[in-house]
Amino acid sequence: MKRWLHAASAASLVFFCSAAGADEGMWPFHGFPFDKVNTALKTHLDQAWLDRARLATVRLANCTGSFVSGQGLILTNHHCVEGCLAELSSKDKSYNDDGYLARTGAEEKRCQTQVADVLTQMEDITAKVNAATAGKADAALANEARKAALTQLEQACESGSQLKCQSVTLYEGGQYWLYKYKRYTDLRMVFAPEIAIGSFGGDPDNFQFPRWNLDMGVLRAYENDSPAKTPNYLKFNFAGPAAGQAVFVSGHPGSTDRQLTVAQLLGERNVDLPQWLLRYSELRGRYIQFAQVSAENERMVADQLNGIENSIKVRRKQLDALHDDALIARKTAEQQALEKAIAKDAKLKAATGNPWKDIEAAMEKEAALFQPYTFLENGAGFQGRLASFSRALVRGTAEREKPNTERFREYTDAALPRIEQQLGAAVPVYPEMEILRLGWGLERMREWLGPDHPVVRRLLAKESPEELARRLVTGSKLADPATRMALWKGGKAAVDASTDPMIQLWRSVDGDARAVRKSYEDSVEAPVRNATERIARARFAILGTSVYPDATFTLRLNWGTVQGWNENGTPVEPFTRLGRTFERATGADPFRIPDSWLKVKDKLDMNTPFNLSTNNDIVGGNSGSPLINDKGEIVGLMFDGNIHSISGSYWFDTVKNRSVAVHTAIIREALTKVYGADALMSELAR
Amino acid sequence: MKRWLHAASAASLVFFCSAAGADEGMWPFHGFPFDKVNTALKTHLDQAWLDRARLATVRLANCTGSFVSGQGLILTNHHCVEGCLAELSSKDKSYNDDGYLARTGAEEKRCQTQVADVLTQMEDITAKVNAATAGKADAALANEARKAALTQLEQACESGSQLKCQSVTLYEGGQYWLYKYKRYTDLRMVFAPEIAIGSFGGDPDNFQFPRWNLDMGVLRAYENDSPAKTPNYLKFNFAGPAAGQAVFVSGHPGSTDRQLTVAQLLGERNVDLPQWLLRYSELRGRYIQFAQVSAENERMVADQLNGIENSIKVRRKQLDALHDDALIARKTAEQQALEKAIAKDAKLKAATGNPWKDIEAAMEKEAALFQPYTFLENGAGFQGRLASFSRALVRGTAEREKPNTERFREYTDAALPRIEQQLGAAVPVYPEMEILRLGWGLERMREWLGPDHPVVRRLLAKESPEELARRLVTGSKLADPATRMALWKGGKAAVDASTDPMIQLWRSVDGDARAVRKSYEDSVEAPVRNATERIARARFAILGTSVYPDATFTLRLNWGTVQGWNENGTPVEPFTRLGRTFERATGADPFRIPDSWLKVKDKLDMNTPFNLSTNNDIVGGNSGSPLINDKGEIVGLMFDGNIHSISGSYWFDTVKNRSVAVHTAIIREALTKVYGADALMSELAR
């Protein structure tokens, strides 16, 4: 954001000065500001350093990871593999509770729905996309033309290539890129500690620091049933970094809303966040109570509950951030400063129009569409795995009949392999949980859309939400991957002929869902995109690309230093140490130290650094990212931020926003002294 | 609010004009604006009408009711007696499910924790209270002196009298009154329909109109084991009111925040409401899932779940109202208009100071105290009946040792009989629900105060919240009323010697809870009260008492007419009719019509008016209030408002805020044709 300071008027200085000194920014690898960084940190990063970091970083389905050996070994977080551990577990064996260590290749079991993408090439397609929409005054038509162009460019890219091609929208439509990935679809579990230490402190300690978490998990990428050859990997530095040392995070921040307009932020504050929090707080309660019925129920629900609790904490603090009127005032001032700068240039002013007003108008339309869109089309009403399968089958087979560029973007040819992987995966489906989730979704749909909404009225004419959910779940065969794949391969005809009650459910609502989606896309998404593109172009005209784009779960690099912060007058040190973990343990979850550690307590070096904090600018999606020193070595494993980091959705607070990593020293201590993972350790240390 | 229009500057007109035409206001019976009302409605209300309405209206523990016969019969809502029906029920018989009809006096069973208060006298004690605080510059000391004065005045009032005396704070401290009640403590159940029709539509239809609810319940007040003689009662008018007819509601609106400052409203928006909604949405989920385990669990939890869902809807819409920046702008402008009017009078300005700034400062202090106060002192951490008993026993016996004026206000001599009634009541205590609630409270206390808070650390050093809750609940004998009364009578010595684990729990936290209460009262409550008194005095100086005070669960009267409203261009008629109920039923709860109605469907007049809407200004606490015509007859039974009525917490929206009542015609139709309640019917028609 530094260049903004030079370009903008003095009046705006006051609103940007807090960002001026920041090691801020989630930079795409095609726009990394080497000079600025090397000057600020006295480092010597070059293109080769950057390329290696990029090729060693992988994007997982929900996280980041990095290659840490030449044989496909991937380091990520425990919470990134928790879902896979749950899928591999059974009534008699919980890998989340007990941990996982494959001592041989044969013991490395596959995570059926996991993927790992390595970003190999990046192509700027902004001009091509703009050409497709040029002259289309109607925002809805332009929106459709843009999507068709993106699909076509992806299709052309993948044709005759082994690479996965995905278009990326940066700067809210200011730039379009084609990112090309090498994709690994065979990922196997190598190591995970017990969740008791992997997530020591559980939800209470989440987004807190000081912290003591061995939040690590190790996967291995396979190709043709053999470990993948991955020459671009990061070496471990088990000494870790010193306080004040320059460190870099390569990873995939999921999403930020730093460039949203004030109207959009108020929409999040007034509508999206409160509704989501109400719904998921209730689900949290249902899950907790469900888990109390039996140990088996507890196991079934554990990883989903952890995920929900994490999301609740994030959104709760996001809402706090948006309730801080100083934030809204800052955003308003920024917006006004940009408007003012645009107004000075008559041509720019004419080209830009008043996008903020246009967005406000679209937000008013969204108010009426938000609930039906959320419940009918966006998944809130039809919860659970079976409902997802049903939707993918009904929608996917219908969309497949259309030409590629006319489909919904999530069913283009480029997207189908991933859908097939998910439909075909032999993941467990627990009927009681399915009934809980589907019944909950239907009940809340009735609450928010009202009992007289036509879809609600039709579905719940004679049954309660729970009764309907029970009938559909117990009557459906979609839990069986073979059944799903038969329908998928049979196409629209097979799906149309199916008497599976879950398929019937989605067939009966698909039309309504498509209709509300169409309204939403035409009257909200299209004008907003049109307006944000104009804002982005105006911003480029004034600032160039010296500002970074909002996070989009695509690869970014940022920099910072190892440091703590000052919490209400009390300095927080950037390192924690092993000894305090034992002092803090209570014996009861989530403050229980596993037996494996208690048994070897006497052999452990209590002074071992455990977690550390840095001022790198990361958000959710960066989980599992490597923390890299200027030599390109791994010195930590990102897994969290402090509580102030959650406001990072809207701005970067240089004073208090800190990221949190697992120290490499505790990884060595654990692998060698606790887990006796000698083969893994020697592969890492190679 | 009309006088404000004349007194305030033209600039403020724009902000008050929406209220100008309103039949607005919750008027105390000692300040009812006869002339204004009679002129506006062309009625002839006089003091005798008012006295009769007052003496026929009763305040229940959580609702309003009215005498409807000379033998102590009280009409109120089903949802006001739902708790009593649950207490009277057992595993084999659910009176909420099946309804209740006492055909003889012997079948009228007692509601053990219910009371009914009739307001017989009102005395203005403002001068006395102000004399007690006069000259006390320190707000905390003044706060204590004020409480002592109120206790003393109540004590003097009750001494040698059979009346219950309660002080009432009106206008946020602008007036103090002593209200004197005749109290009935022996209330017995006479009639309630099945909840399926008493709350037809359940939570989905709550705060909705059109609506079809027979939300009625009938109690009888007893004295000396015989029906009470209640010559001041309201006669039924079974024809009900016509559209446009003048109607009045006498009852006890619970609380409104219409006079809060902007800083206080933002505190509700940013802190109180989001936190409450998060916590209770989770509890809702826990209850729903708990209920799924068995029919018996469902019965145990039903009335509490209904209450929570009602509260969630209220607070959700309150948050929506506060997220409407137009509301905050209006409140800001009102505040500024008052400040401006004060500034014109130098003496008034000097006496008033800047109370808004003082409140802002207190709100900042509250931010740090809110969570510990909420969890330790205000009940959030220690949930459930057993925890409440424990607290009342430990606190109450300790407070009783002090002189009356030095006690917490809830343990003064005037308050003790009600506490004894509750401690001695043989209400059911369900261990599994107690564990659920206490475990939930402890777990959330750890979440919000953090695992390192000293109290959290002490309580949960070796046990999980659920383990601790289970141990305390299963080990406690406080479910037994005799055990509780023995401790209560044994006093502090008995409580100190008790080894009951639930008593031990509260003994161990009482000191912490008292400490945070003291901080809260001195640094938040005291300066806020001091500042709001100054605002109230300034407002009186400018406006007189032509404005009504915020609701305080004391007796108020308001007026209006039978009318619908316009919902986004669609007119909503003020009456619903029986026939539509059958069309709307699905057969599944909460849209199930009970068998008793289905059996006699052919005999029912489908054109019978069912519910109606009026523009009376009511809120929660008014439930069960009589809707009275200008002749003093009952023409309806208030039980709800439309969705727009919830914003009534902060302002009265004359355009859309409507209250909802049961029509007297459906009461006759039900009692005669469905329930064959001939004796009750003839008592009502007498």
Side-chain angles (χ1 to χ4, degrees), chain A residues 278 281 323 452 461 584 586, chain B residues 278 281 323 325 452 461 584 586:
Chain A
L278 282 171
S281 292
H323 274 148
D452 300 315
R584 203 150 173 277
T586 66
Chain B
L278 282 172
S281 292
H323 274 148
D325 289 335
D452 300 315
R584 204 151 173 277
T586 66

Side-chain angles (χ1 to χ4, degrees), chain A residues 304-563:
Chain A
Q304 295 209 35
L305 179 58
N306 288 346
I308 285 174
E309 290 189 328
N310 183 67
S311 298
I312 286 174
K313 202 173 254 192
V314 169
R315 284 175 173 77
R316 172 157 86 73
K317 298 306 289 186
Q318 284 177 333
L319 188 60
D320 282 353
L322 293 175
H323 274 148
D324 179 357
D325 289 336
L327 173 69
I328 300 297
R330 170 201 304 264
K331 293 288 182 179
T332 305
E334 284 180 2
Q335 197 164 298
Q336 286 165 349
L338 182 57
E339 277 190 81
K340 220 168 163 177
I342 293 168
K344 285 184 187 160
D345 178 338
K347 205 175 148 194
L348 186 60
K349 172 85 188 102
T352 308
N354 191 338
W356 295 280
K357 206 179 141 196
D358 297 339
I359 288 175
E360 274 178 41
M363 289 294 100
E364 277 175 31
K365 292 203 172 143
E366 192 193 25
L369 286 167
F370 181 78
Q371 301 302 348
Y373 181 75
T374 300
F375 281 94
L376 294 174
E377 174 63 15
N378 213 10
F382 305 97
Q383 291 269 329
R385 283 191 163 153
L386 293 179
S388 298
F389 291 144
S390 157
R391 178 186 157 115
L393 288 167
V394 175
R395 273 270 169 97
T397 53
E399 290 291 303
R400 256 175 22 196
E401 307 246 309
K402 300 179 186 170
N404 197 27
T405 54
E406 292 174 21
R407 299 179 199 164
F408 288 142
R409 293 264 304 137
E410 69 270 28
Y411 294 106
T412 62
D413 285 339
L416 293 182
R418 178 78 177 129
I419 292 174
E420 282 181 27
Q421 180 189 14
Q422 290 173 321
L423 285 174
V427 292
V429 174
Y430 305 111
E432 288 304 317
M433 275 203 59
E434 293 293 311
I435 293 165
L436 188 166
R437 280 196 76 110
L438 183 59
W440 167 69
L442 292 167
E443 191 168 341
R444 289 305 143 249
M445 183 164 73
R446 183 173 69 185
E447 176 177 2
W448 290 83
L449 301 188
D452 300 315
H453 185 285
V455 174
V456 175
R457 186 80 202 149
R458 205 166 64 224
L459 291 178
L460 299 173
K462 295 291 162 200
E463 289 166 301
S464 73
E466 200 268 344
E467 286 166 355
L468 175 59
R470 187 167 292 280
R471 180 170 65 77
L472 298 178
V473 169
T474 54
S476 176
K477 305 281 180 233
L478 295 188
D480 172 26
T483 303
R484 298 194 296 265
M485 289 313 289
L487 285 164
W488 181 251
K489 284 174 186 151
K492 188 168 184 305
V495 168
D496 284 350
S498 169
T499 57
D500 189 285
M502 207 51 113
I503 294 285
Q504 289 173 327
L505 170 75
W506 192 260
R507 274 210 313 258
S508 82
V509 297
D510 190 48
D512 303 277
R514 282 175 182 268
V516 71
R517 176 169 174 159
K518 176 81 178 135
S519 296
Y520 190 88
E521 287 181 349
D522 289 356
S523 63
V524 181
E525 182 186 274
V528 167
R529 172 51 49 92
N530 178 298
T532 53
E533 277 189 357
R534 281 180 282 140
I535 294 173
R537 283 177 200 160
R539 196 184 273 126
F540 284 157
I542 295 169
L543 304 171
T545 52
S546 66
V547 293
Y548 57 90
D550 260 323
T552 52
F553 200 41
T554 52
L555 192 63
R556 308 293 177 91
L557 185 68
N558 64 62
W559 69 92
T561 56
V562 175
Q563 55 175 280

Side-chain angles (χ1 to χ4, degrees), chain B residues 634-672:
Chain B
I634 288 195
V635 292
L637 168 61
M638 310 318 294
F639 73 100
D640 204 3
N642 66 359
I643 197 73
H644 309 294
S645 72
I646 298 176
S647 67
S649 295
Y650 308 112
W651 70 300
F652 185 74
D653 178 352
T654 58
V655 178
K656 290 187 164 179
N657 183 334
R658 296 294 176 268
S659 62
V660 177
V662 182
H663 197 283
T664 44
I666 194 71
I667 292 177
R668 178 172 56 186
E669 192 77 358
L671 291 181
T672 54

Side-chain angles (χ1 to χ4, degrees), chain B residues 416-643:
Chain B
L416 293 182
R418 178 77 177 129
I419 291 173
E420 282 183 27
Q421 180 187 14
Q422 291 173 320
L423 285 174
V427 294
V429 174
Y430 306 111
E432 287 305 316
M433 276 203 57
E434 292 293 310
I435 292 165
L436 188 166
R437 280 195 76 111
L438 183 58
W440 167 69
L442 292 167
E443 190 167 342
R444 289 305 142 250
M445 184 164 72
R446 183 174 68 185
E447 176 177 1
W448 289 83
L449 301 189
D452 300 315
H453 185 283
V455 174
V456 175
R457 186 81 201 149
R458 205 166 64 224
L459 292 177
L460 299 173
K462 294 291 162 201
E463 289 167 302
S464 73
E466 199 268 344
E467 286 166 354
L468 175 60
R470 187 167 293 280
R471 180 170 64 77
L472 297 178
V473 169
T474 54
S476 176
K477 304 280 180 234
L478 294 188
D480 172 26
T483 302
R484 298 195 294 265
M485 289 314 288
L487 285 165
W488 181 249
K489 283 173 186 149
K492 189 169 183 307
V495 168
D496 283 350
S498 170
T499 57
D500 189 285
M502 206 52 112
I503 294 286
Q504 288 172 328
L505 171 75
W506 192 260
R507 275 209 314 258
S508 83
V509 298
D510 189 50
D512 303 276
R514 282 175 183 266
V516 71
R517 175 168 175 161
K518 176 82 178 135
S519 296
Y520 190 88
E521 287 180 348
D522 289 356
S523 64
V524 181
E525 182 186 275
V528 166
R529 172 51 51 90
N530 178 298
T532 53
E533 275 189 358
R534 282 180 281 142
I535 293 173
R537 282 175 201 160
R539 197 184 272 126
F540 284 156
I542 294 168
L543 304 171
T545 52
S546 66
V547 293
Y548 57 92
D550 260 321
T552 51
F553 201 43
T554 52
L555 193 62
R556 307 292 177 91
L557 185 69
N558 65 62
W559 69 90
T561 56
V562 174
Q563 55 175 280
W565 75 99
N566 193 296
E567 184 73 38
N568 293 328
T570 307
V572 180
E573 295 303 315
F575 295 101
T576 63
R577 292 180 191 277
L578 176 56
R580 180 85 187 110
T581 325
F582 287 90
E583 293 162 21
R584 204 151 173 277
T586 66
D589 283 327
F591 294 95
R592 182 176 60 81
I593 293 179
D595 291 344
S596 60
W597 290 65
L598 296 174
K599 267 194 285 189
V600 297
K601 186 178 172 189
D602 292 346
K603 294 184 194 151
L604 297 173
D605 175 1
M606 290 298 162
N607 208 32
T608 309
F610 206 132
N611 290 163
L612 71 150
S613 69
T614 80
N615 71 340
N616 292 75
D617 180 8
I618 68 170
V619 296
N622 271 118
S623 280
S625 293
L627 184 70
I628 314 175
N629 65 14
D630 61 343
K631 291 178 194 151
E633 300 163 338
I634 288 195
V635 292
L637 168 61
M638 310 318 294
F639 73 100
D640 204 3
N642 66 359
I643 197 73

